[in-house]
Amino acid sequence: MNPPEWHPWMDDAACAELPPDDWFPDNGNHWGNERAIKICEDCPVRAMCAEYGMEERYGVWGGLSPRARAAIRRERAA
């Protein structure tokens, strides 16, 4: 997995100073997803992050798990 391309809005993210591994929990570790999603709740750049991560297969982006992003992609395609 390659690191994400950096964008200026990322400096304002609630997770900017936290370990990236927290947003990429081990497969099946739903507690890890829940923790990351909770941190994202009040993030000032949540919407930009969610959109940026929409095509990402792994990790929590903008408070969205991989399953949540897949559901949004299906909805958009319909």
Side-chain angles (χ1 to χ4, degrees):
M1 179 173 64
N2 294 325
E5 179 182 339
W6 181 83
H7 293 275
W9 58 262
M10 290 177 171
D11 288 340
D12 297 327
C15 64
E17 301 296 322
L18 298 172
D21 290 346
D22 288 353
W23 276 259
F24 297 92
D26 293 336
N27 190 18
N29 181 354
H30 298 291
W31 179 88
N33 278 349
E34 291 173 11
R35 180 174 179 269
I37 290 167
K38 182 75 174 161
I39 291 168
C40 294
E41 283 180 0
D42 296 320
C43 182
V45 297
R46 182 177 181 179
M48 287 180 274
C49 182
E51 195 58 43
Y52 176 83
M54 198 53 65
E55 298 303 320
E56 293 291 332
R57 185 173 176 184
Y58 302 105
V60 173
W61 293 90
L64 300 174
S65 68
R67 285 185 179 169
R69 291 192 308 277
I72 292 169
R73 286 192 304 270
R74 285 190 300 274
E75 191 175 288
R76 288 179 177 179

